[in-house]
Amino acid sequence: MLQQMGKAAKLASYQLSQCPTSTKNQALTIIADLLEAHSAIILEANEKDIQAAKKQGISTAILDRLLLTPERLVSIANDVRKVVLLTDPIGHIIDGSTLDNKLKLQRHRVPLGVIGVIYEARPNVTIDIASLCLKTGNAAILRGGKETVNTNAATISIIQQALEQVGLPKTAIQCIDNPDRKYIKELLKLDQYVDMIIPRGGMALHKLCREHSTIPVITGGIGVCHIFVDETADFDKALSIIVNAKTQRPSTCNTLETLLVHTKIADTFLPKLSQIMADNDVVLHADPNAYKILKSGIANTFAVKDDELRQEWLSKDLNVVIVDSLELAVEHIRDYGSGHSEAILTRNLANAQQFVNLVDAAAVYVNASTRFTDGGQFGLGAEVAVSTQKLHARGPMGLEALTTYKWIGYGDDLIRQ
């Protein structure tokens, strides 16, 4: 089955690579319109997935990722329309020069070819990937989790309908609808046809892909994100940012998981933190020094375990750690962070610059929420993933991250001497 899908995707990618921008944009516009026109069908399919997930006892965090609402569906459609407005990178001349031997060299941006994406309970990913791949002339083979089987079937049907309406092969975007995990390993070995694998899920999925894939893998999406509140921070503004970073949508990879607080302000800042976290139903998990202060506060507070500092809560749970200096905050982030998104809240420019210079992550913020690490927020349109590695792509992966380049040489009957 996968051999046939791979061959069909590769053939479709050849046609897509030559597709004019106008046709690709037309397909994307139709996808966005059909998402809204058929919203009732999609939401009904999603409700089936939600009910099945509840019966399986799936966590609240995963249910939130799985859930589609009318508002979320409109937002997804609008993200597709944003991709339409973005500049098509394919064919762009990156740079060029004429050598002493008169050979004119240029680097042209071209599609990668076929993208394989493996993801779990994230129905929006289907549309995000399809829109970015189509815009960049890439075909895609998708393997969603069993939790989203009905939702994915509904959205894939819409995507393929739009492709056929503009004369493109529907095999440009395909989905593995069999939930058997053996097909994941088969996809990871499909290097004859697939050019890149992007996993979007937990650490176990990323580990599986790294260990079994014969295709280059883009890893990322694991967000153990930190905010460091230094001794100069404005308390009210800091608390507002912390609430946003933790509670706006706790199940996302750019959500705050551990708050680092400078020891000089801990006695006065942490009681205020306890109050506002209680108001937002956030449970605190504190290190021994922070626990001494927070245990008398009104927020539910527990002693934090070391493994909890290394995990994504993806829920309204927040670790709190007191540090004696900026350097120790950075040391903590280096030890426990995942290289996703880190932030400092400060009124000291020197501290801000030092933090930015020392912290190694895909995105580093000064006086801003970690929730901004997102393709839409970065002006990239939708995103196919957030990469925490350093080769090829880093951070939210938009259009250019799904391209490579080829060297083109123009000569006047040149031979090498």
Side-chain angles (χ1 to χ4, degrees):
M1 180 184 78
L2 257 62
Q3 286 287 329
Q4 293 176 337
M5 291 180 70
K7 185 175 182 179
K10 180 60 76 174
L11 289 173
S13 75
Y14 298 146
Q15 185 172 340
L16 282 173
S17 68
Q18 303 301 313
C19 186
T21 303
S22 58
T23 302
K24 294 187 287 188
N25 285 343
Q26 185 184 2
L28 292 171
T29 300
I30 294 172
I31 289 172
D33 292 343
L34 289 178
L35 285 173
E36 294 180 341
H38 297 285
S39 61
I41 296 173
I42 298 170
L43 293 173
E44 182 181 352
N46 184 250
E47 179 61 22
K48 291 180 182 177
D49 289 331
I50 290 290
Q51 293 306 318
K54 287 180 177 178
K55 288 180 182 179
Q56 295 169 24
I58 288 177
S59 69
T60 302
I62 300 301
L63 284 173
D64 180 64
R65 285 186 171 183
L66 173 58
L67 177 66
L68 282 181
T69 64
E71 294 77 19
R72 287 184 182 180
L73 197 54
V74 169
S75 178
I76 291 170
N78 286 334
D79 280 344
V80 177
R81 294 187 178 103
K82 290 176 183 175
V83 175
V84 172
L85 298 175
L86 296 174
T87 301
D88 186 350
I90 301 304
H92 171 69
I93 300 174
I94 301 170
D95 54 30
S97 62
T98 300
L99 306 182
D100 291 342
N101 60 15
K102 306 304 180 183
L103 180 66
K104 183 179 180 181
L105 279 178
Q106 293 179 344
R107 285 195 301 156
H108 289 217
R109 198 170 291 283
V110 297
L112 285 166
V114 179
I115 313 296
V117 186
I118 306 165
Y119 53 106
E120 296 168 345
R122 306 162 186 254
N124 63 296
V125 172
T126 303
I127 302 298
D128 290 348
I129 294 165
S131 60
L132 290 177
C133 284
L134 288 175
K135 184 78 176 195
T136 51
N138 292 291
I141 299 175
L142 313 180
R143 198 283 187 182
K146 63 181 183 296
E147 306 89 354
T148 56
V149 61
N150 293 295
T151 311
N152 287 344
T155 52
I156 286 291
S157 175
I158 282 173
I159 292 166
Q160 293 185 336
Q161 182 180 336
L163 288 169
E164 291 185 315
Q165 283 189 33
V166 300
L168 292 173
K170 68 178 185 179
T171 50
I173 305 292
Q174 301 177 79
C175 184
I176 302 170
D177 54 14
N178 191 317
D180 193 326
R181 291 182 66 84
K182 74 175 185 179
Y183 291 109
I184 294 180
K185 290 188 178 180
E186 286 189 28
L187 176 59
L188 296 176
K189 304 296 185 185
L190 211 63
D191 52 272
Q192 182 179 355
Y193 303 114
V194 178
D195 298 283
M196 177 183 287
I197 293 289
I198 302 175
R200 290 189 62 164
M203 291 184 181
L205 174 60
H206 286 259
K207 185 173 185 290
L208 175 72
C209 291
R210 287 195 302 268
E211 292 179 351
H212 292 276
S213 181
T214 57
I215 306 163
V217 178
I218 294 286
T219 57
I222 308 299
V224 183
C225 304
H226 300 76
I227 289 180
F228 171 48
V229 187
D230 83 355
E231 68 275 24
T232 71
D234 180 303
F235 283 14
D236 290 337
K237 293 177 180 178
L239 290 169
S240 176
I241 291 172
I242 292 164
V243 168
N244 176 264
K246 181 70 257 183
T247 70
Q248 189 196 42
R249 195 171 176 193
S251 64
T252 59
C253 61
N254 53 22
T255 290
L256 170 65
E257 303 293 11
T258 296
L259 183 69
L260 305 172
V261 179
H262 198 288
T263 187
K264 288 183 179 179
I265 61 169
D267 287 331
T268 51
F269 183 77
L270 291 185
K272 294 179 182 292
L273 176 75
S274 180
Q275 174 69 56
I276 201 165
M277 291 296 104
D279 293 343
N280 286 275
D281 301 317
V282 175
V283 176
L284 301 178
H285 303 261
D287 78 342
N289 291 329
Y291 185 79
K292 292 175 185 177
I293 302 171
L294 289 167
K295 66 180 180 180
S296 58
I298 64 172
N300 289 332
T301 305
F302 301 91
V304 71
K305 301 173 183 177
D306 188 76
D307 60 345
E308 292 173 337
L309 294 171
R310 300 183 186 279
Q311 72 179 28
E312 290 181 298
W313 282 109
L314 303 175
S315 60
K316 285 192 173 183
D317 291 85
L318 177 64
N319 303 323
V320 183
V321 174
I322 294 176
V323 292
D324 292 338
S325 66
L326 183 150
E327 289 78 11
L328 289 176
V330 172
E331 185 176 315
H332 180 99
I333 291 169
R334 288 174 178 171
D335 190 3
Y336 294 94
S338 60
H340 193 293
S341 302
E342 313 292 357
I344 182 173
L345 308 183
T346 182
R347 293 297 149 194
N348 184 296
L349 289 176
N351 285 356
Q353 193 59 52
Q354 185 178 7
F355 186 86
V356 168
N357 291 341
L358 292 176
V359 170
D360 185 15
V364 183
Y365 298 96
V366 176
N367 297 326
S369 170
T370 56
R371 287 280 291 125
F372 284 104
T373 308
D374 171 86
Q377 293 293 316
F378 277 21
L380 304 177
E383 70 182 33
V384 69
V386 176
S387 170
T388 54
Q389 64 184 41
K390 299 181 181 181
L391 294 180
H392 176 68
R394 197 178 196 193
M397 294 177 61
L399 297 179
E400 287 193 5
L402 293 182
T403 68
T404 183
Y405 58 83
K406 65 168 66 171
W407 289 96
I408 299 176
Y410 297 93
D412 185 10
D413 301 319
L414 278 176
I415 61 171
R416 179 173 172 174
Q417 300 298 324

